[in-house]
Amino acid sequence: MLPNPMPGDLDPSRRCDMVELAGVLAPRHGYNPTALDSVRILRTEAVLHDIPVLYKPGAVFVLQGSKQGILEEEVFIYDEEHYLAVSLPVPFRMTSTASPERPLLAVYVEFDMQMAAEIAIQVEKHAELTSDKPRSLVSSRMATDIEDVLLRLLMALRSSTDVAVLGASILRELHYRVLVGPQGGAMIAALQQKGTSGKLIQSLAWLRENYGCEIAVADLAREVGMSVPSYHVHFKGLTGSSPMQYVKAMRLHEARLMIARQSRTIAEVAASVGYASPAQFSRDFKRHFGRTASEEMKWVQRHLGEPA
């Protein structure tokens, strides 16, 4: 089995140090970039309800406040005592709690998938792995060893020299700690890409690169050697969505990014993500996010700085 460190007694003083450091590194509302491209820190005072999100593979560590995600009626808590690990990008709904007196502060770490795969190989060599099924999202109890790495990461981010010398090694250790945590077996199974699940994961990777193209489920199923009904069943089991629902969510979230950056017209954005009809794009966008594209642009800028 994978080593499974117990959460232990989390150190309140260490948590206070992390909150203080994160507050300095994230002075403005929304997502704050850091000296490491794969690390962002979110600060928000808003209470958010039922917000559509689609995270890239990585982990979210909430230092203050709380979030919860809902996928297919399953609830994933990520708060001051739990973190969220994402092995596959899937659309889900999110709710968060914060206030002006106690803003939500969260560290978002995007995984280096090549590094994660290399670590998974090393873990396989030295640990007896359980045969976990790949899971797209997993919420786990925070452990003292992960808190320790997070504290060192936040401390390093204050200094460009520390980032240059220590940043890569701290990120590698954080990848490792997540991969040997309670959700490690499910995440490593996703990285291994074996069997039927492996074929689906490869299919998901292709969709992420080609979401703007014309896509037919029959072609996707044929490419992985499945019947269309079988592909539908396995795809929904892994992602919580049908193939075309997943493609639509990918297109709309990518469009949201483009709209927030104000670099293209709505019609140009619609065409670039695979919509032949701007009117259909506008209808789908409002149905998914609950706001028109222009309303969403203002909402994102006010609450997030840039989309999640």
Side-chain angles (χ1 to χ4, degrees):
M1 294 177 62
L2 283 167
N4 187 1
M6 296 300 291
D9 295 324
L10 301 179
D11 186 344
S13 63
R14 178 166 49 194
R15 177 53 62 105
C16 288
D17 289 342
M18 289 196 294
V19 168
E20 183 177 351
L21 286 165
V24 172
L25 291 165
R28 62 178 180 81
H29 294 300
Y31 286 98
N32 292 256
T34 71
L36 291 168
D37 291 341
S38 61
V39 180
R40 297 179 299 162
I41 302 175
L42 173 67
R43 172 194 284 268
T44 179
E45 299 176 355
V47 175
L48 304 178
H49 294 288
D50 197 32
I51 303 298
V53 293
L54 196 156
Y55 295 151
K56 294 179 179 179
V60 185
F61 305 95
V62 176
L63 307 180
Q64 182 172 275
S66 67
K67 286 175 170 279
Q68 71 173 33
I70 300 176
L71 177 64
E72 286 289 283
E73 300 183 353
E74 185 173 1
V75 177
F76 299 87
I77 302 295
Y78 45 128
D79 57 12
E80 296 168 26
E81 296 183 355
H82 304 82
Y83 64 96
L84 183 73
V86 183
S87 59
L88 301 168
V90 293
F92 64 99
R93 315 292 290 192
M94 180 274 296
T95 295
S96 65
T97 302
S99 68
E101 297 75 29
R102 203 167 186 272
L104 185 141
L105 291 166
V107 179
Y108 287 69
V109 179
E110 184 178 336
F111 282 162
D112 178 327
M113 299 308 286
Q114 181 176 344
M115 180 193 294
E118 291 170 356
I119 293 171
I121 291 171
Q122 292 297 312
V123 170
E124 283 186 276
K125 289 180 179 177
H126 299 283
E128 181 184 344
L129 294 173
T130 58
S131 56
D132 290 359
K133 291 183 178 180
R135 298 191 66 195
S136 51
L137 304 176
V138 185
S139 171
S140 300
R141 292 278 298 181
M142 180 64 79
T144 55
D145 54 1
I146 290 185
E147 272 205 341
D148 177 63
V149 183
L150 278 175
L151 177 58
R152 286 187 279 115
L153 175 63
L154 292 168
M155 292 176 66
L157 287 170
R158 298 178 303 173
S159 162
S160 59
T161 303
D162 285 359
V163 167
V165 176
L166 302 173
S169 61
I170 295 174
L171 279 178
R172 183 178 181 84
E173 182 180 353
L174 186 57
H175 280 60
Y176 168 72
R177 294 298 175 193
V178 171
L179 288 173
V180 298
Q183 75 294 316
M187 297 198 71
I188 288 176
L191 290 167
Q192 288 172 328
Q193 299 190 8
K194 295 178 180 177
T196 300
S197 295
K199 294 178 181 179
L200 264 294
I201 291 166
Q202 292 169 22
S203 190
L204 286 175
W206 186 89
L207 286 173
R208 291 197 298 276
E209 294 296 323
N210 298 279
Y211 61 84
C213 302
E214 186 174 342
I215 293 168
V217 177
D219 294 338
L220 297 173
R222 183 169 53 252
E223 188 66 27
V224 297
M226 295 183 189
S227 67
V228 171
S230 178
Y231 184 84
H232 266 279
V233 169
H234 286 97
F235 194 101
K236 188 172 178 64
L238 188 62
T239 68
S241 304
S242 72
M244 293 316 296
Q245 285 173 333
Y246 185 88
V247 170
K248 182 184 290 187
M250 288 289 298
R251 288 172 170 171
L252 294 173
H253 279 275
E254 289 297 325
R256 186 188 193 215
L257 274 168
M258 296 177 194
I259 290 166
R261 292 167 182 157
Q262 305 180 62
S263 57
R264 302 182 186 183
T265 66
I266 299 299
E268 289 171 339
V269 168
S272 69
V273 298
Y275 274 85
S277 165
Q280 184 61 50
F281 167 78
S282 295
R283 286 192 293 270
D284 285 352
F285 193 98
K286 185 169 184 180
R287 189 177 299 117
H288 189 75
F289 292 108
R291 288 176 284 271
T292 65
S294 58
E295 290 169 345
E296 182 68 9
M297 178 180 68
K298 295 174 184 176
W299 186 93
V300 166
Q301 291 170 345
R302 183 168 68 251
H303 291 288
L304 303 178
E306 63 177 273

PDB file of all heavy atoms in Angstrom, residues 239-251:
ATOM      1  N   THR A 239     -16.016  11.250 -15.559  1.00  0.00           N
ATOM      2  CA  THR A 239     -16.076  12.711 -15.527  1.00  0.00           C
ATOM      3  C   THR A 239     -17.349  13.290 -14.921  1.00  0.00           C
ATOM      4  O   THR A 239     -17.393  14.478 -14.594  1.00  0.00           O
ATOM      5  CB  THR A 239     -15.950  13.287 -16.948  1.00  0.00           C
ATOM      6  OG1 THR A 239     -17.132  12.933 -17.699  1.00  0.00           O
ATOM      7  CG2 THR A 239     -14.710  12.752 -17.655  1.00  0.00           C
ATOM      8  N   GLY A 240     -18.392  12.459 -14.808  1.00  0.00           N
ATOM      9  CA  GLY A 240     -19.677  12.975 -14.345  1.00  0.00           C
ATOM     10  C   GLY A 240     -20.477  13.648 -15.438  1.00  0.00           C
ATOM     11  O   GLY A 240     -21.565  14.174 -15.175  1.00  0.00           O
ATOM     12  N   SER A 241     -19.971  13.663 -16.668  1.00  0.00           N
ATOM     13  CA  SER A 241     -20.646  14.316 -17.796  1.00  0.00           C
ATOM     14  C   SER A 241     -20.694  13.372 -18.990  1.00  0.00           C
ATOM     15  O   SER A 241     -19.871  12.462 -19.104  1.00  0.00           O
ATOM     16  CB  SER A 241     -19.895  15.584 -18.231  1.00  0.00           C
ATOM     17  OG  SER A 241     -19.727  16.491 -17.175  1.00  0.00           O
ATOM     18  N   SER A 242     -21.636  13.611 -19.883  1.00  0.00           N
ATOM     19  CA  SER A 242     -21.600  12.921 -21.165  1.00  0.00           C
ATOM     20  C   SER A 242     -20.468  13.538 -21.987  1.00  0.00           C
ATOM     21  O   SER A 242     -20.005  14.645 -21.696  1.00  0.00           O
ATOM     22  CB  SER A 242     -22.932  13.098 -21.897  1.00  0.00           C
ATOM     23  OG  SER A 242     -23.051  14.427 -22.369  1.00  0.00           O
ATOM     24  N   PRO A 243     -20.004  12.857 -23.029  1.00  0.00           N
ATOM     25  CA  PRO A 243     -18.916  13.427 -23.843  1.00  0.00           C
ATOM     26  C   PRO A 243     -19.216  14.827 -24.375  1.00  0.00           C
ATOM     27  O   PRO A 243     -18.382  15.729 -24.289  1.00  0.00           O
ATOM     28  CB  PRO A 243     -18.759  12.415 -24.977  1.00  0.00           C
ATOM     29  CG  PRO A 243     -19.200  11.117 -24.385  1.00  0.00           C
ATOM     30  CD  PRO A 243     -20.326  11.482 -23.465  1.00  0.00           C
ATOM     31  N   MET A 244     -20.414  15.035 -24.923  1.00  0.00           N
ATOM     32  CA  MET A 244     -20.712  16.340 -25.511  1.00  0.00           C
ATOM     33  C   MET A 244     -20.967  17.404 -24.442  1.00  0.00           C
ATOM     34  O   MET A 244     -20.682  18.590 -24.662  1.00  0.00           O
ATOM     35  CB  MET A 244     -21.896  16.238 -26.479  1.00  0.00           C
ATOM     36  CG  MET A 244     -21.589  15.401 -27.726  1.00  0.00           C
ATOM     37  SD  MET A 244     -19.952  15.752 -28.477  1.00  0.00           S
ATOM     38  CE  MET A 244     -20.156  17.457 -28.997  1.00  0.00           C
ATOM     39  N   GLN A 245     -21.486  17.001 -23.279  1.00  0.00           N
ATOM     40  CA  GLN A 245     -21.593  17.959 -22.172  1.00  0.00           C
ATOM     41  C   GLN A 245     -20.207  18.421 -21.739  1.00  0.00           C
ATOM     42  O   GLN A 245     -19.985  19.597 -21.430  1.00  0.00           O
ATOM     43  CB  GLN A 245     -22.318  17.315 -20.983  1.00  0.00           C
ATOM     44  CG  GLN A 245     -23.816  17.170 -21.163  1.00  0.00           C
ATOM     45  CD  GLN A 245     -24.443  16.382 -20.025  1.00  0.00           C
ATOM     46  OE1 GLN A 245     -23.793  15.544 -19.378  1.00  0.00           O
ATOM     47  NE2 GLN A 245     -25.722  16.642 -19.775  1.00  0.00           N
ATOM     48  N   TYR A 246     -19.266  17.478 -21.737  1.00  0.00           N
ATOM     49  CA  TYR A 246     -17.895  17.797 -21.353  1.00  0.00           C
ATOM     50  C   TYR A 246     -17.280  18.760 -22.370  1.00  0.00           C
ATOM     51  O   TYR A 246     -16.651  19.759 -21.998  1.00  0.00           O
ATOM     52  CB  TYR A 246     -17.071  16.513 -21.272  1.00  0.00           C
ATOM     53  CG  TYR A 246     -15.658  16.712 -20.763  1.00  0.00           C
ATOM     54  CD1 TYR A 246     -15.381  16.673 -19.400  1.00  0.00           C
ATOM     55  CD2 TYR A 246     -14.593  16.932 -21.640  1.00  0.00           C
ATOM     56  CE1 TYR A 246     -14.105  16.858 -18.923  1.00  0.00           C
ATOM     57  CE2 TYR A 246     -13.309  17.118 -21.179  1.00  0.00           C
ATOM     58  CZ  TYR A 246     -13.062  17.073 -19.810  1.00  0.00           C
ATOM     59  OH  TYR A 246     -11.793  17.264 -19.347  1.00  0.00           O
ATOM     60  N   VAL A 247     -17.449  18.468 -23.630  1.00  0.00           N
ATOM     61  CA  VAL A 247     -16.906  19.331 -24.686  1.00  0.00           C
ATOM     62  C   VAL A 247     -17.508  20.731 -24.574  1.00  0.00           C
ATOM     63  O   VAL A 247     -16.796  21.750 -24.676  1.00  0.00           O
ATOM     64  CB  VAL A 247     -17.173  18.729 -26.079  1.00  0.00           C
ATOM     65  CG1 VAL A 247     -16.830  19.736 -27.175  1.00  0.00           C
ATOM     66  CG2 VAL A 247     -16.376  17.451 -26.266  1.00  0.00           C
ATOM     67  N   LYS A 248     -18.816  20.795 -24.346  1.00  0.00           N
ATOM     68  CA  LYS A 248     -19.467  22.095 -24.227  1.00  0.00           C
ATOM     69  C   LYS A 248     -18.896  22.883 -23.050  1.00  0.00           C
ATOM     70  O   LYS A 248     -18.620  24.092 -23.169  1.00  0.00           O
ATOM     71  CB  LYS A 248     -20.980  21.931 -24.060  1.00  0.00           C
ATOM     72  CG  LYS A 248     -21.743  23.251 -23.965  1.00  0.00           C
ATOM     73  CD  LYS A 248     -23.227  23.039 -23.710  1.00  0.00           C
ATOM     74  CE  LYS A 248     -23.912  22.454 -24.928  1.00  0.00           C
ATOM     75  NZ  LYS A 248     -25.390  22.394 -24.739  1.00  0.00           N
ATOM     76  N   ALA A 249     -18.697  22.208 -21.904  1.00  0.00           N
ATOM     77  CA  ALA A 249     -18.138  22.889 -20.736  1.00  0.00           C
ATOM     78  C   ALA A 249     -16.719  23.381 -21.015  1.00  0.00           C
ATOM     79  O   ALA A 249     -16.355  24.506 -20.645  1.00  0.00           O
ATOM     80  CB  ALA A 249     -18.133  21.951 -19.528  1.00  0.00           C
ATOM     81  N   MET A 250     -15.901  22.545 -21.690  1.00  0.00           N
ATOM     82  CA  MET A 250     -14.551  22.965 -22.055  1.00  0.00           C
ATOM     83  C   MET A 250     -14.603  24.227 -22.917  1.00  0.00           C
ATOM     84  O   MET A 250     -13.865  25.191 -22.695  1.00  0.00           O
ATOM     85  CB  MET A 250     -13.846  21.850 -22.818  1.00  0.00           C
ATOM     86  CG  MET A 250     -13.435  20.647 -22.001  1.00  0.00           C
ATOM     87  SD  MET A 250     -12.065  20.977 -20.887  1.00  0.00           S
ATOM     88  CE  MET A 250     -10.773  21.405 -22.037  1.00  0.00           C
ATOM     89  N   ARG A 251     -15.468  24.224 -23.911  1.00  0.00           N
ATOM     90  CA  ARG A 251     -15.568  25.365 -24.817  1.00  0.00           C
ATOM     91  C   ARG A 251     -15.996  26.624 -24.076  1.00  0.00           C
ATOM     92  O   ARG A 251     -15.431  27.714 -24.272  1.00  0.00           O
ATOM     93  CB  ARG A 251     -16.573  25.046 -25.930  1.00  0.00           C
ATOM     94  CG  ARG A 251     -16.058  24.028 -26.939  1.00  0.00           C
ATOM     95  CD  ARG A 251     -17.140  23.577 -27.907  1.00  0.00           C
ATOM     96  NE  ARG A 251     -16.565  22.794 -29.007  1.00  0.00           N
ATOM     97  CZ  ARG A 251     -17.252  22.131 -29.898  1.00  0.00           C
ATOM     98  NH1 ARG A 251     -18.597  22.133 -29.824  1.00  0.00           N
ATOM     99  NH2 ARG A 251     -16.659  21.445 -30.859  1.00  0.00           N
TER     100      ARG A 251
END
